[in-house]
Amino acid sequence: MQIMQPIQAHIEMEELSDPGTYTKEEALILAAQKDLQMFSALYEKYYAQILRFVYQRVTSKDDAYDITQQIFLRAMMSLPKYQLRGFPFSSWLYRIALNEMNQLFRKNKKQRGVNLQEKHPTQIVEELGETGGEEREAAVLQALTGLEEDDFQLVEMRFFEGRPFKEMAEILNITEANAKMRLYRILDKIKPVVTKNIKNGA
């Protein structure tokens, strides 16, 4: 099936959008559920951020590109089952992304990667009650490399991507209270590691 070009899809989205009932994105989603050619506008809008999300968790760009394509293929195939629940469409895509990556690593037994390039954990440093500075940020980044994937996902969503707990919970399919509890337990766990790293000159 040939997918409609993004510009054409956006034009038709404007015609379908009812500002009194749906947002433009919701109107596009509903239109794409009826005609998958409209999916190209969603693909164009979210491709770059899903690719970045994947690349933070794999060891090569080639893997990131391949996995991202698979994510959008899965999303397009699953779109008829999607329901508007008041969350960004990206939350649903991120959930698919996590599932696809987990399945891939289990199936191929590939080692996960954590790319922390250009990450600035200023907020984490402040949350831990530390003063700022490159030394402390380096100590935090080193501590993060020792986290399990599930724990790192929570930290990244909250502090590097700035997601509210409500959206994090939606992506991870847990309650908002559980998301908060898990995150602060992770911070409690890494705090002594950060302190040790600082002393050791990490």
Side-chain angles (χ1 to χ4, degrees):
M1 176 181 296
Q2 184 176 1
I3 301 299
M4 183 181 296
Q5 292 299 312
I7 294 177
Q8 183 184 356
H10 278 299
I11 292 174
E12 296 203 13
M13 177 184 68
E14 292 290 341
E15 296 175 351
L16 289 167
S17 180
D18 180 356
T21 305
Y22 302 110
T23 65
K24 290 182 179 180
E25 179 174 270
E26 289 172 341
L28 176 58
I29 293 168
L30 293 173
Q33 287 179 324
K34 295 179 181 178
D35 182 357
L36 285 179
Q37 293 187 70
M38 297 290 287
F39 185 77
S40 61
L42 293 168
Y43 176 89
E44 180 187 57
K45 181 177 181 179
Y46 290 112
Y47 178 83
Q49 67 187 78
I50 295 298
L51 178 62
R52 286 194 299 270
F53 180 81
V54 172
Y55 184 51
Q56 295 303 318
R57 294 161 172 80
V58 296
T59 54
S60 76
K61 289 184 178 179
D62 288 341
D63 283 343
Y65 287 125
D66 290 344
I67 295 170
T68 301
Q69 290 294 334
Q70 184 62 33
I71 289 165
F72 278 97
L73 177 60
R74 180 71 63 185
M76 187 171 66
M77 294 171 60
S78 302
L79 191 63
K81 299 178 182 179
Y82 179 82
Q83 296 180 350
L84 300 178
R85 297 172 55 187
F87 292 98
F89 185 70
S90 59
S91 299
W92 185 66
L93 290 176
Y94 282 118
R95 186 189 296 183
I96 293 175
L98 290 177
N99 289 337
E100 286 296 315
M101 285 187 288
N102 288 338
Q103 290 179 17
L104 176 70
F105 288 118
R106 282 197 299 266
K107 180 179 179 180
N108 297 339
K109 297 183 179 179
K110 289 186 177 181
Q111 185 176 0
R112 293 174 183 266
V114 176
N115 295 308
L116 292 172
Q117 298 174 3
E118 299 182 359
K119 296 295 187 184
H120 303 287
T122 305
Q123 287 185 308
I124 305 178
V125 172
E126 294 173 355
E127 192 73 38
L128 292 173
E130 301 283 351
T131 56
E134 293 184 1
E135 180 187 55
R136 283 164 175 75
E137 290 192 5
V140 169
L141 289 177
Q142 183 175 339
L144 294 182
T145 61
L147 290 178
E148 297 291 334
E149 173 67 12
D150 290 347
D151 289 345
F152 181 77
Q153 288 169 3
L154 280 163
V155 171
E156 181 167 52
M157 287 180 191
R158 181 62 177 174
F159 295 108
F160 295 146
E161 297 173 352
R163 298 183 185 280
F165 283 110
K166 186 175 182 180
E167 185 178 358
M168 291 166 57
E170 171 68 11
I171 293 171
L172 298 172
N173 199 26
I174 59 178
T175 66
E176 186 174 349
N178 194 7
K180 291 180 181 179
M181 179 181 67
R182 284 176 55 182
L183 180 67
Y184 288 110
R185 282 181 177 174
I186 293 166
L187 294 179
D188 287 341
K189 181 168 64 176
I190 69 170
K191 187 170 184 176
V193 179
V194 171
T195 301
K196 180 179 178 181
N197 291 342
I198 293 173
K199 290 181 179 179
N200 292 338

